[in-house]
Structure formats: C-alpha cells, structure tokens
Amino acid sequence: MSSLSRELVFLILQFLEEEKFKESVHKLEKESGFFFNMKYFEEKVQAGEWEEVEKYLSGYTKVDDNRYSMKIFFEIRKQKYLEALDRQDKAKAVEILVTDLRVFSTFNEDLYKEITQLLTLGNFRENEQLSKYGDTKTARSIMLIELKKLIEANPLFRDKLVFPTLKSSRLRTLINQSLNWQHQLCKNPRPNPDIKTLFTDHTCAPPNGALGATPVNLPVAAVAKPAAFTSLGMHGPFPTAAAAANAGALAGWMANAAASSTVQASVVTASSMPMPPNQVSILKRPITPPATLGMVDYQNLEQEQLMKRLRLAQNVDEVTYPATRQQASWSLDDLPRMVAFTIQQGSTVTSMDFNPSHHTLLLVGSGNGDITLWEVALRERLVTKPFKIWESTAYPLPFQASMVKDAPISVSRVAWSPDGNFIGAAFTKHLIHLYAYPGSNDLRQHLEIDAHVGCVNDIAFAHPSKQLCVVTCGEDKLIKVWDMTGRKLFTFEGHEAPVYSICPHHKENIQFIFSTAIDGKIKAWLYDNMGSRVDYDAPGQWCTTMLYSADGSRLFSCGTSKDGESFLVEWNESEGAIKRTYTGFRKKSAGVVQFDTTQNHFLAAGEDNQIKFWDMDHINVLASIDAEGGLPSVPRLRFNKEGNLLAVTTADNGFKILATAAGLRSLRAIETPPFDVLRTPVESTALKVAGASAAAATNISPNEPKVERSSPIKPSSILNGVDTMARSTEKPRSLEDVSDRSKPWQLVEIVEPGQCRQVTMSDNNDSSSKVSRLLYTNSGVGILALGSNGVQKLWKWLRNEQNPSGKAVYVPKATSNVVPQHWQPNSGLLMTNDVSGVNLEDAVPCIALSKNDSYVMSACGGKVSLFNMMTFKVMTTFMSPPPASTFLAFHPQDNNIIAIGMEDSTIHIYNVRVDEVKSKLKGHQKRVTGLAFSTSLNILVSSGADAQLCVWSIDTWEKRKSVSIQMPAGKAPVGDTRVQFYSDQIRLLVVHETQLATYDASKMERIRQWIPQDGLSAPISYAAYSCNGQLIYATFCDGNVGVFDADSLRLRCRIAPSAYISQAALNGSQAPYPVVVASHPQESNQIAIGMTDSSVKVIEPLESDGKWGVSPPAENGMLITRTASSSTTSNHTPDQIQR
C-alpha cells in the first residue's frame, strides 16, 4: 500500500472516531494493521474480554512471530488461566490449559508442567512464585504494565503505537478544498453553489440554457505520484530519516536477488528501521515480574520468523528516491583539508584505524608486518609490535615452512574494537593477532589464531548475543566468527572466490554480516548455520568494500573492476537496489580505490593521487585535494570519529594528518609539552624524538626518581630491576588532561569536610554491627548494606525529595546532595538472614544482587536466603551449613545459576530452579573469599584466604590454572583476597590487605602491584573499580581512602578520615574506619563506604572539581612487569617496559 493510501486510512479512522463509529474504528485498526490503539487494548484487558483482546492482537501479530509476541500471548493466556483457578472453575482452567496454553509446551515443557500442577493446589498462591498474586483487578493492572513493555519492544509494533498529529476533521477539510478547486474550474462559477453530492465532480449549471462546462480531468501523470515506501516519519514516533527504510534490512536484497540470481532456499529478513538514541532502551529484553511464572527467552525465534512479511521489489535496476533527509548546516570548512603534518612510518602503510574514544590515537599496519600505535597530536610512536609467531611450537612444520617462504608477511587490516579495549590485526598469511589495550602506551598479547589458509583479507569486531567477537575472512573463501578466547563459533561457506571484505552490522536486535568476494558477489549472513541470505552482484564485480554511515542508517560500497573502473554507490537496504551512484572517478584507476565516511554527511575516496570528497546526498564531487602532493595513485585514508582529522597514506612510506580548523586547534593544544617544568633536560630531549626507541628511554637515570613533595607516598625507583621512571614519559589522552597537566602536578588531599560532598546514613539503634558488605543497586538509585549481624538495609533516593530549603527536587539517581530514605515495605519486614546457632564473630557475610534488582541473595554464617527486593520476603533458603557460605556470585548469563564460595575451600555451582548443586570445585586450601566471572574469557576466577587465585572454565567447570599472589617481603600468605574484573573482562583487580594488583586474566600474569607505604601504610580493607574502570577506590584500616589511576596504580587523591568522620569519633577509644567500598554503577566519581560503626557514607568531589584529582605524571607506587626480560631496552621486544 502506498504512503498516501496509508495516510488515507488514518484520515478515515479520525473521521469514524469523530462520528462515534466505535466498532468500525477498531475493526479498521485491526484489519489495516496501521495503528495499534493501546487505550482500547487496555480497556479490554481490564474488562477481562480475553477473546476480543486476542482477536484485536491478531491483526498485528501471531503467537509465533517472535519472542515478544509469544510472551504477549503467554501472559494473556496465563492470566486467563489463573483467573479461572481463582474462581475455582477447574473445568474452564483445564480447557484453557489444553486449548490455549499447550502451544507453549513445545518451547518449555517444564514450565507447562509447572502450570499444570497448579490444578492440584487448593489455592495457586501456595506456589512460591505466585505468592504475591492479589485480586483480579490488581493482577490485570500488573500484567498490563508488562504487556505494554513487550508491545513497545516488539518490532512488529514499532511504528504503530502513535497516531499521527492531525487537525480536527482533516478529511472534511480536504474534501472542501477539493470542491473549492472543482468550483474554480467551472466556466461559469456561481457565487453560492449548491453542492449536493460527492459522488460526481461538481460543475455549476450554465445560465440561459448554455452547455455545461466540461469537467476538468487532469491526466494521471500531472499529479505527482508518491514513490513507493515513502517515509511516514513525520507522523510516527521516529524521525523522518530514521523511518525511511521501513522494510526488512535483508528482505529487499533477497527479493531482488531472487529476480536475478541464485538465492538460498532459506531466507530471512530483519527490520531496518534504525532507532533514535532515546528509543534504544526499549530494545532490551523485557523482564518478567519477579514473582510470576514467566516464559523463557527464546534466542532464535526472530531468526526463525524473519522471512515473514517479505515485500517483493519491482526490479534490480538503479532507482531514484525522493530526498527526505533533513539538511544539516555545513560548509567545506567541515572537511579536513588542511595538512597538519606528515609522519614517517618506515614501511608501506597498508591499513589505519583511529581509536573510537581517543580521537588522536591512530593504529597503523605496515607492509613489513609491524603494528604501530601513534599519538598523532604529539607525533609520537607509542609502541611498535613487529610481526612474529607467538607460539611457533604450536604449529606443524608445514605451516611454519609456509610462513617463511615466498613473500614476507604484511598486515592486511588493523581494527579497534568498538569500546577501544582491543586491537585486531590480520596478516597476509594465516594468522590474526589480538592485543588488549589497557589505556597506557602498551599493547598486550591477548590471542593468536590460525584463522585462514592463505591470506586473511579482513578483520572486524561484532557483538552477536551481546558478546564481543571477531569476524575474519580470507583467501580460503570462508568467513569465520571467533570469541575472545579463540573458540570458533561459526564458519560461513558459500563464496566461490576469496572473500575480500566483511561488514558486520546490526539493525535493532538483528545482527548480520555483509561480505564481498573478488568475483564481485555480495552475500549476507546471520549468526547461524543456515547459509547465505543474499547472492548479489556488486558494481564492477571485483574488489568491493562496504561501510555504514556512523549512525548506521545508510549503507555504501566502493569498489574497482579488473579494468580499473571504480564505483562508489549508496544502497537502499530495503530494496537491495542501488540508490545513488557517485561520479568523479577517472576512467581507469591504478588500483583498488579505498573510501571512508564521516559525520553522517560526507564520503571520501583516494584516487588519482588525490582525495575526493562527496556530500552523501549529491552524486557530484564536492571537493578534490592533493594534500600538498606526495600521495600514491590510490591512497588509503581513514577519518577519526569526530570527523575533524583524516589520515591518508603517502608514497614514501608514511602518512599525513589532515584536519579541519577545529581539528588543528585540538592538535596544537595537545602537542604543547605539558610537563617540561617537571622534566630533567634528558627527559625532555628523549620525548622530542618521534619514534624514539626504548633504548633511548633508558638514558633517563634510574637513580633519580621524582618525589612529589605533597605526596605522603615515596615511590621506589626500581623494583625487580625494572626502572619505574620509564613510564614518566606517558602523555595525556585528552584536552582535559592537557589543561590539568599544564601546571606542576600535585597530589589532591581531602582533609576537611568542606573539600568534598558527603551524606551519611546511620542506624543509631545498632552501632555495634559493622557494615560488612555494600552494593549499589544496578539502577543506581539505591544502596544495599549487609551488616555483620546478618540484617540487610536498603536506602533509596526517591523521585521527589525535600531539600533543606523545603522545595521538592527531582532525584533520578544516588547523590550526596540529598539524604536517601531508609526503605522498608509496608509490612515492616526486615531482610534478616538465618543466624540461628551462628557465632557472628566468626561468620563471613556475603551478598549478591540480581541484574534487574529484583532479588538479593545473602548469608551470614547460616543458610543462604533469597529475598524479594520489593516485599523483603524470603523466597527460599538453601545450602545449610556446615560448611557455611563465604562468597556469592550470580552467573552473568543465567540468574538461576549461582557460584557459592564455601568455608571448607570448595566452590559450589548451584542451580536454584532445581535446588541442586551441579558441580563442586576444589582448588583452594582455605575458605573462598572472592569470585568473579568473565564472559569474554568464559572463566570464573576465585580467590581464597590462602592467597591463591584459581581459574575455572565456565563450560566444564574444570580448573585451568592456579597461581599464588606474590606477597611483599615478610608478609604471610593469609587474609582475605578479593577479585573484580575491569570492564574489558580481561584485566583483573586483586585486593589483599598487603597490596593492590592488576592481572591479565587470559594468562594470569601480574601487570602491576602497589604496596601500602609511608602515608598510606595501614592494611587495605577493600578496593573496587569505578564504573568506567579508570579509577580504583581503596579503603584502609586507619580511615584513609585512596583514589588510584587504574592503569598505572598511581595515587591521584587521598581522602583523609578527618574529611568524613567527626573529630569526636576520631578522638574516641575506637575510631571507626571503612570496611568496604562500592562505586556507583553510572557515576564514576561517586563512592559509598560501609563503616565499622554501622553507618554508610556516600562521598563525591565538589561540583566545582568534578573529579578526584588528575593522573600523576610520575610513579607513586611500584611497577612490576611479567618477566625480568621485560627490562630489555629493545623497542621490538613484546614484553617491553611500559612507557
């Protein structure tokens, strides 16, 4: 149906509503499927008219369309079933069970059996999950909330929930306008025409019997016919640009391919309507209310149903579409055309990629196999990794022989992961290398994979199933998907020629990959084993690369034919047709043309020793520049994320950085040497040498460490033969750091209450119980504290609070500006753990919170209790001692699986649903004191009071490795050890009373260590990463709180006990101190600390400061590297000194 026909339906709906034709309105809504009337739906649900509810829904979706639809129908039928049971109408309940609910047994037989067993209960509320079911009206209201979330998240309802904004009686207005127009065409128009019918065109009768005027019939061609699939964005909940492609992302490709070439029998489609940022949250999987029986989540239902509602396209020729995109204000000054400088790489540059977060950090791959990280603003080579096989003995001799014969190995592609934490490099023979980037001047070997036979042509990162993966393609005609442990997840076969490039992408929650081969074929794949969904010819039918615009809404490709003819085109995804072909290339290009996109507005390609720019909405070249000469015939190029810098390769083994005016200003700001006032002449000289090797860096005397006068901590200059001053040349990564570091660094010390913001939550009734464990809720609006007496307390920042002036303020999250409410349900219940027969002095409290904040699990020497966070009721108890539980952790992918550390040194893997210990892990010698899951590495890391770290496979629960933490001299390996993963799920924070340490968990090798000394010499009581992973907060048994740079373990701020503890308490016989610290899940500079006097304090920096100091330029603590060999001066040593 065309756009105008669709709009006509909306006009008719408005007319029927105004004329009170209620039944007709809803019948047309359902039959057209254009508008889902949520108000009508709610009325019918509240009235319990289930037959009409399902009948109305059937106009928009069926039970098996996708997982959202299935859950919608399940919730409705489950409610109908429960109401029949509540009425004691067992016959009706059985009928519903057999006719309505049986369809779901195919997908979850256990759930169906559980529902069936409700028939045997006198009151179904005896079922624990249904214990909070109230009266029918309340239950329907609760269900409606869930149904609305599901409908809003369901792609089939995405553009059907908002009625267009229309002036009243719009259809009547249009008819009147038409009649007026007809009247104006009359040859003898009367002043007051008498119009009696709409069935025929109006004409005024001629005077005196003259012949009537011939009705004017305009030819069809004279009326502009709207193009098919014209956007309805102006009427829907999405902007015009977002709604333009309202068909399946792959559907049109497949439909068109069917007309011209072979298509796999199994075809899929996915909605291509992109979501604006403020709508992203509705794509998240809806959560079933915690105390109700819920359908499980079926991960593959969309893929099974994606073929539905395909729309066939007319043809595969190039088509023209109306330009509906809003034109942003721009000029040629927005293009990076000014040459900032030229940098010599030393070998042919084969690939480049800017870091997605640090916009001046450039990754470069070279023809000699080197991978180099450049800080282009400083023109400094931060680190170079020459190619070598990491584990040569792991490969057979024929493989090793193939690696050394013929041509040397080059880098074919380098790429950053979307979060900037990993680097991928593909090589011209077999291998890919993955490096972890910890944020400093270092690349750490993470993984080496023998990926393909022959050349690996492309590498990219993707997030299928919310898991970071690597996608590769190669000369062996295959595409492969790997997880971050090196496990191969998928192999896609179907190309008949070497695969040249890949383009992973997603539309809404559908993940897919476009691939191109050197025979010009384009294919598309979902992450399954169903084969290619597309077989289509790219223009030029040779080497082609595909890219999306930054916002993911527009798809482009650029390629060159064997004859040298180049093509740059925009595709219409929903049609599988070329939307626009850009002009401006030479007849014969000297190589394969490379291109890039930026700012959702510009395209750039390198050709004819030039860089050519296009406006995405116009086919003609916007500008061409030669960048002051020296470019190769087909230069490679890459924009940074901001679009204000452009890296382009040169003919003499280097690259140029081009910039806009804004880009030049940012470069000049960063390149100003910020630390000269702190450096010795030797240091300053070493820094000015671009690409200086580590050997040059060793000119800095290791016997002259810098000691900041204001710092209470004196750094040790050398540890294990490693010069800690080698890192004093580290550069800032942002303009904020530049401004902070342009003056001599000084440790920030918070010693007065007025130097920070704070709020205290205390319980005057029980000061004898210390806060043993502390958590922020995942939503960030509450704090949960577990006391040493086994009682849990919850504080919440509510939506409307009273500030000191008496005015109501809106509080969306935790803040030190407002005192939170000590929250309890109306029943007055406390969340109290089972402590019968427990010696509380010996008990080890432990706690874990579910991802959706619905349940909290805790223990204090007795049974483990599972509490409902809304009612505080105990849902169940398990794991009776002995042995007692000492640490709890939810499995990151299944809340029904819990890892439980025990007093007897074992770890139990417990399934709550079946009340069964699935595995018992043995590896520690003393009680387990810490557990941390890594989904990236697929491991569980445990720590114990024996100072041991154990690594367990999540798949098999087998122990992979065990290491002892390295204790400082004279310290016994006793005391609690805790572990926490950094956001990259690779780096691991290890906390012991004697040290802070970071580890590379993929190898369990220690990276850095900090040992309490001098001004912070008391034992460490607890430590935790900030939410962004940039800081580590550590509490000490003397009341101090240290804020450390997570990368370097350097102290950047000290919060003295006098800043947050009253002088009277400090002067008492037993001054309180923090036992535990928790960091806010969204605010990186907010912490909460649990005290020995049972109070909880939330502390933040002053609003004028905004953060806890700045990263210091010199070491405050101790740096250790993996091996003694890391002190080598060679810049090409993989385990080189960290700079």
Side-chain angles (χ1 to χ4, degrees):
M1 183 177 286
S2 72
S3 172
L4 290 185
S5 298
R6 177 187 172 97
E7 293 182 2
L8 180 58
V9 171
F10 282 112
L11 295 177
I12 295 171
L13 286 172
Q14 183 196 42
F15 173 78
L16 292 174
E17 180 72 28
E18 291 173 343
E19 296 297 319
K20 309 299 182 185
F21 295 113
K22 295 294 185 182
E23 290 186 14
S24 300
V25 168
H26 302 311
K27 189 170 184 178
L28 180 56
E29 288 169 352
K30 181 178 78 72
E31 289 186 352
S32 67
F34 289 158
F35 173 64
F36 184 82
N37 192 323
M38 188 69 81
K39 183 179 178 181
Y40 174 72
F41 178 73
E42 290 178 13
E43 289 174 357
K44 294 302 175 184
V45 169
Q46 289 285 19
E49 298 179 25
W50 305 119
E51 186 175 346
E52 177 58 27
V53 166
E54 289 207 24
K55 187 177 178 182
Y56 188 68
L57 274 173
S58 66
Y60 307 88
T61 184
K62 300 295 186 292
V63 173
D64 60 350
D65 276 351
N66 58 39
R67 72 166 185 257
Y68 301 109
S69 298
M70 177 170 287
K71 190 159 173 52
I72 290 169
F73 280 97
F74 173 78
E75 291 295 332
I76 291 170
R77 295 176 185 182
K78 182 187 72 176
Q79 180 63 28
K80 183 166 60 169
Y81 175 67
L82 294 177
E83 289 184 15
L85 289 176
D86 209 23
R87 297 192 306 268
Q88 298 298 317
D89 189 349
K90 293 292 180 75
K92 183 64 175 177
V94 170
E95 178 187 340
I96 296 168
L97 186 69
V98 173
T99 59
D100 294 339
L101 289 170
R102 181 176 289 277
V103 65
F104 304 106
S105 65
T106 307
F107 304 96
N108 193 332
E109 188 174 353
D110 291 339
L111 180 60
Y112 184 73
K113 288 178 181 178
E114 190 173 354
I115 293 173
T116 303
Q117 289 172 0
L118 297 179
L119 288 166
T120 65
L121 302 177
N123 185 340
F124 63 78
R125 294 172 182 80
E126 296 172 22
N127 182 289
E128 204 162 9
Q129 294 188 61
L130 296 170
S131 59
K132 76 168 190 176
Y133 185 97
D135 59 277
T136 298
K137 183 177 180 181
T138 303
R140 288 175 182 173
S141 298
I142 293 172
M143 180 189 66
L144 256 177
I145 296 172
E146 176 73 0
L147 291 180
K148 290 173 72 173
K149 291 179 182 177
L150 290 167
I151 290 169
E152 289 169 356
N154 195 326
L156 299 178
F157 291 83
R158 193 65 42 77
D159 58 346
K160 301 175 182 180
L161 299 178
V162 177
F163 197 86
T165 302
L166 304 174
K167 292 183 178 180
S168 60
S169 304
R170 178 61 180 162
L171 186 58
R172 292 180 182 275
T173 300
L174 290 175
I175 292 173
N176 286 336
Q177 290 173 347
S178 172
L179 293 173
N180 286 333
W181 172 71
Q182 293 177 30
H183 183 59
Q184 290 172 14
L185 294 179
C186 292
K187 290 185 177 180
N188 301 294
R190 293 183 178 181
N192 297 301
D194 183 18
I195 301 175
K196 296 181 178 179
T197 181
L198 299 177
F199 293 162
T200 58
D201 289 345
H202 160 71
T203 57
C204 290
N208 302 324
L211 292 175
T214 304
V216 178
N217 292 315
L218 294 177
V220 174
V223 181
K225 182 180 179 181
F229 321 114
T230 301
S231 168
L232 286 177
M234 65 289 289
H235 297 309
F238 307 103
T240 304
N246 58 0
L250 302 179
W253 290 78
M254 289 174 269
N256 286 339
S260 63
S261 54
T262 304
V263 186
Q264 298 288 338
S266 176
V267 194
V268 302
T269 181
S271 174
S272 72
M273 183 177 291
M275 293 293 297
N278 63 347
Q279 299 275 346
V280 171
S281 61
I282 68 171
L283 297 180
K284 295 179 181 177
R285 184 170 64 191
I287 303 298
T288 306
T292 62
L293 293 169
M295 283 296 296
V296 296
D297 193 13
Y298 302 108
Q299 299 296 334
N300 296 320
L301 286 178
E302 281 122 330
Q303 296 186 11
E304 294 171 3
Q305 300 298 329
L306 287 174
M307 249 321 280
K308 297 191 175 184
R309 299 173 177 82
L310 273 180
R311 188 161 38 90
L312 291 178
Q314 296 292 328
N315 53 61
V316 297
D317 297 330
E318 183 172 342
V319 291
T320 303
Y321 295 81
T324 58
R325 185 174 294 270
Q326 288 286 89
Q327 293 295 326
S329 174
W330 62 270
S331 71
L332 286 176
D333 293 337
D334 296 322
L335 294 173
R337 296 180 298 153
M338 294 176 282
V339 177
F341 41 76
T342 301
I343 296 176
Q344 288 301 315
Q345 173 68 21
S347 179
T348 304
V349 175
T350 56
S351 181
M352 301 178 292
D353 196 20
F354 277 99
N355 185 285
S357 303
H358 305 305
H359 300 151
T360 59
L361 200 60
L362 180 66
L363 179 64
V364 177
S366 305
N368 64 357
D370 285 0
I371 299 164
T372 305
L373 193 59
W374 288 90
E375 173 51 84
V376 296
L378 299 166
R379 288 170 250 185
E380 181 180 3
R381 190 191 307 253
L382 301 178
V383 62
T384 293
K385 295 290 185 181
F387 174 79
K388 75 171 189 177
I389 301 176
W390 296 349
E391 303 288 345
S392 58
T393 57
Y395 302 108
L397 290 177
F399 172 88
Q400 297 182 46
S402 70
M403 298 297 286
V404 298
K405 71 178 183 180
D406 302 327
I409 290 180
S410 300
V411 177
S412 55
R413 180 83 159 87
V414 291
W416 287 95
S417 64
D419 57 8
N421 289 328
F422 290 95
I423 283 169
F427 297 95
T428 51
K429 289 187 181 179
H430 293 269
L431 298 179
I432 64 169
H433 283 171
L434 298 180
Y435 289 89
Y437 175 64
S440 58
N441 305 349
D442 187 26
L443 295 177
R444 299 179 190 151
Q445 293 180 2
H446 175 66
L447 199 61
E448 179 179 77
I449 302 176
D450 180 8
H452 294 271
V453 177
C455 179
V456 184
N457 289 326
D458 203 359
I459 185 171
F461 290 89
H463 276 91
S465 303
K466 300 180 181 178
Q467 176 187 3
L468 182 63
C469 292
V470 179
V471 186
T472 61
C473 66
E475 198 174 5
D476 55 5
K477 309 175 186 178
L478 300 177
I479 299 146
K480 299 181 182 181
V481 182
W482 317 82
D483 69 11
M484 296 305 288
T485 66
R487 182 165 57 104
K488 185 167 62 179
L489 303 178
F490 299 100
T491 298
F492 299 135
E493 303 180 32
H495 277 292
E496 298 177 359
V499 185
Y500 180 73
S501 74
I502 46 179
C503 179
H505 195 60
H506 67 92
K507 290 288 187 180
E508 298 172 352
N509 54 348
I510 307 301
Q511 303 269 350
F512 55 90
I513 304 168
F514 279 120
S515 63
T516 66
I518 63 172
D519 59 358
K521 292 293 183 183
I522 297 174
K523 292 182 182 291
W525 320 78
L526 290 177
Y527 292 88
D528 56 22
N529 296 307
M530 301 295 292
S532 167
R533 269 51 175 199
V534 163
D535 187 353
Y536 204 69
D537 290 329
Q541 299 188 4
W542 197 40
C543 297
T544 297
T545 304
M546 305 185 82
L547 285 177
Y548 276 89
S549 57
D551 61 6
S553 64
R554 304 176 74 172
L555 177 63
F556 303 89
S557 73
C558 183
T560 304
S561 71
K562 292 180 180 180
D563 297 328
E565 187 176 1
S566 295
F567 300 87
L568 177 61
V569 303
E570 179 178 5
W571 293 90
N572 183 283
E573 289 180 273
S574 62
E575 301 299 323
I578 295 173
K579 179 176 181 178
R580 185 178 284 113
T581 298
Y582 299 90
T583 62
F585 290 108
R586 292 183 60 189
K587 294 289 186 182
K588 297 286 185 180
S589 298
V592 178
V593 172
Q594 307 293 319
F595 86 117
D596 201 4
T597 73
T598 187
Q599 302 177 42
N600 299 314
H601 198 93
F602 299 111
L603 300 165
E607 191 232 17
D608 193 21
N609 308 97
Q610 293 181 322
I611 305 165
K612 299 179 179 180
F613 297 96
W614 288 264
D615 178 345
M616 288 181 178
D617 295 321
H618 298 91
I619 64 172
N620 296 320
V621 173
L622 183 64
S624 296
I625 60 172
D626 63 0
E628 299 178 1
L631 303 185
S633 57
V634 183
R636 299 177 182 274
L637 46 80
R638 192 71 172 168
F639 287 102
N640 70 347
K641 190 174 181 180
E642 294 274 308
N644 58 12
L645 299 180
L646 175 65
V648 57
T649 57
T650 62
D652 58 352
N653 297 339
F655 57 91
K656 296 187 178 189
I657 298 297
L658 281 64
T660 62
L664 283 175
R665 286 193 296 271
S666 65
L667 290 174
R668 287 166 183 161
I670 296 177
E671 69 186 357
T672 303
F675 306 132
D676 284 350
V677 293
L678 295 179
R679 295 197 185 103
T680 64
V682 174
E683 289 177 278
S684 298
T685 303
L687 281 176
K688 292 175 183 176
V689 180
S693 66
T698 58
N699 291 331
I700 303 171
S701 172
N703 299 317
E704 297 179 3
K706 288 196 173 296
V707 180
E708 304 305 330
R709 296 180 184 274
S710 60
S711 173
I713 306 230
K714 296 176 183 177
S716 172
S717 61
I718 298 179
L719 179 67
N720 295 342
V722 178
D723 182 1
T724 60
M725 290 306 297
R727 289 182 57 83
S728 67
T729 59
E730 186 170 322
K731 298 297 187 297
R733 285 283 180 271
S734 66
L735 291 177
E736 180 185 22
D737 283 344
V738 171
S739 61
D740 287 335
R741 299 183 181 185
S742 59
K743 48 186 179 289
W745 180 84
Q746 186 175 6
L747 176 74
V748 173
E749 298 198 81
I750 309 295
V751 295
E752 300 290 340
Q755 292 179 290
C756 63
R757 293 180 291 154
Q758 54 184 293
V759 64
T760 300
M761 297 90 83
S762 61
D763 186 350
N764 297 326
N765 299 325
D766 186 14
S767 59
S768 62
S769 172
K770 66 181 180 182
V771 178
S772 298
R773 297 292 178 264
L774 193 65
L775 298 172
Y776 275 95
T777 58
N778 294 293
S779 62
V781 298
I783 288 179
L784 189 64
L786 172 60
S788 57
N789 59 357
V791 178
Q792 291 167 119
K793 297 173 185 174
L794 177 63
W795 286 272
K796 283 187 178 182
W797 281 262
L798 302 180
R799 292 297 177 184
N800 289 290
E801 300 281 1
Q802 297 292 323
N803 65 11
S805 65
K807 288 186 177 180
V809 293
Y810 179 74
V811 185
K813 58 181 179 294
T815 172
S816 58
N817 296 332
V818 175
V819 179
Q821 175 185 329
H822 182 196
W823 196 87
Q824 281 183 275
N826 294 331
S827 62
L829 280 177
L830 293 175
M831 283 191 283
T832 306
N833 278 284
D834 167 41
V835 292
S836 55
V838 175
N839 182 349
L840 292 177
E841 291 185 2
D842 298 332
V844 180
C846 48
I847 188 171
L849 184 64
S850 65
K851 289 180 183 177
N852 60 4
D853 295 335
S854 296
Y855 305 102
V856 62
M857 174 177 58
S858 60
C860 190
K863 297 177 184 177
V864 178
S865 300
L866 186 67
F867 295 91
N868 184 305
M869 283 283 283
M870 292 298 295
T871 63
F872 285 13
K873 289 182 179 179
V874 177
M875 306 301 294
T876 185
T877 59
F878 49 90
M879 303 300 291
S880 299
S885 304
T886 54
F887 202 92
L888 304 168
F890 280 102
H891 192 290
Q893 295 166 334
D894 187 350
N895 273 344
N896 291 311
I897 304 296
I898 303 167
I900 307 175
M902 308 299 288
E903 180 69 34
D904 68 353
S905 78
T906 62
I907 302 168
H908 292 189
I909 306 303
Y910 179 76
N911 189 314
V912 178
R913 183 183 290 276
V914 298
D915 189 20
E916 181 181 341
V917 175
K918 292 295 187 180
S919 298
K920 187 180 290 187
L921 316 182
K922 297 181 180 180
H924 289 281
Q925 304 303 314
K926 296 183 179 180
R927 71 171 180 266
V928 177
T929 57
L931 296 168
F933 283 95
S934 169
T935 52
S936 294
L937 299 176
N938 219 32
I939 60 172
L940 168 68
V941 176
S942 61
S943 59
D946 54 1
Q948 291 281 321
L949 303 175
C950 295
V951 181
W952 313 86
S953 166
I954 291 179
D955 293 330
T956 62
W957 300 115
E958 294 177 354
K959 186 165 77 170
R960 291 185 180 178
K961 198 168 187 178
S962 178
V963 297
S964 299
I965 67 172
Q966 299 176 29
M967 305 299 295
K971 299 290 185 180
V974 295
D976 291 356
T977 308
R978 296 187 176 85
V979 287
Q980 181 189 358
F981 271 105
Y982 176 65
S983 57
D984 66 0
Q985 298 277 289
I986 304 296
R987 271 184 292 169
L988 182 74
L989 173 64
V990 178
V991 184
H992 187 266
E993 63 180 27
T994 65
Q995 63 186 278
L996 300 174
T998 53
Y999 281 71
D1000 179 347
S1002 64
K1003 302 174 183 177
M1004 287 311 293
E1005 292 179 347
R1006 192 174 64 176
I1007 303 167
R1008 290 178 181 81
Q1009 179 191 53
W1010 183 88
I1011 297 172
Q1013 53 190 293
D1014 298 333
L1016 287 181
S1017 57
I1020 300 169
S1021 59
Y1022 211 90
Y1025 274 120
S1026 62
C1027 61
N1028 62 4
Q1030 302 301 307
L1031 304 173
I1032 292 173
Y1033 296 104
T1035 53
F1036 295 81
C1037 293
D1038 62 357
N1040 277 296
V1041 179
V1043 184
F1044 293 82
D1045 185 275
D1047 239 8
S1048 59
L1049 289 187
R1050 303 171 188 166
L1051 184 68
R1052 58 190 285 165
C1053 179
R1054 179 179 74 92
I1055 305 172
S1058 56
Y1060 65 93
I1061 302 175
S1062 69
Q1063 199 61 44
L1066 288 174
N1067 295 334
S1069 59
Q1070 197 167 4
Y1073 66 87
V1075 179
V1076 61
V1077 61
S1079 56
H1080 191 280
Q1082 289 98 36
E1083 297 294 329
S1084 61
N1085 288 290
Q1086 183 186 126
I1087 58 171
I1089 54 176
M1091 306 291 291
T1092 54
D1093 63 358
S1094 81
S1095 67
V1096 174
K1097 297 175 183 290
V1098 174
I1099 306 177
E1100 294 179 279
L1102 295 175
E1103 291 181 350
S1104 58
D1105 297 334
K1107 59 182 180 179
W1108 300 110
V1110 297
S1111 297
E1115 290 285 359
N1116 298 80
M1118 296 184 178
L1119 167 69
I1120 75 162
T1121 51
R1122 303 171 202 162
T1123 63
S1125 65
S1126 63
S1127 61
T1128 178
T1129 59
S1130 169
N1131 192 44
H1132 289 170
T1133 301
D1135 294 324
Q1136 67 188 57
I1137 296 174
Q1138 308 210 4
R1139 302 180 58 245

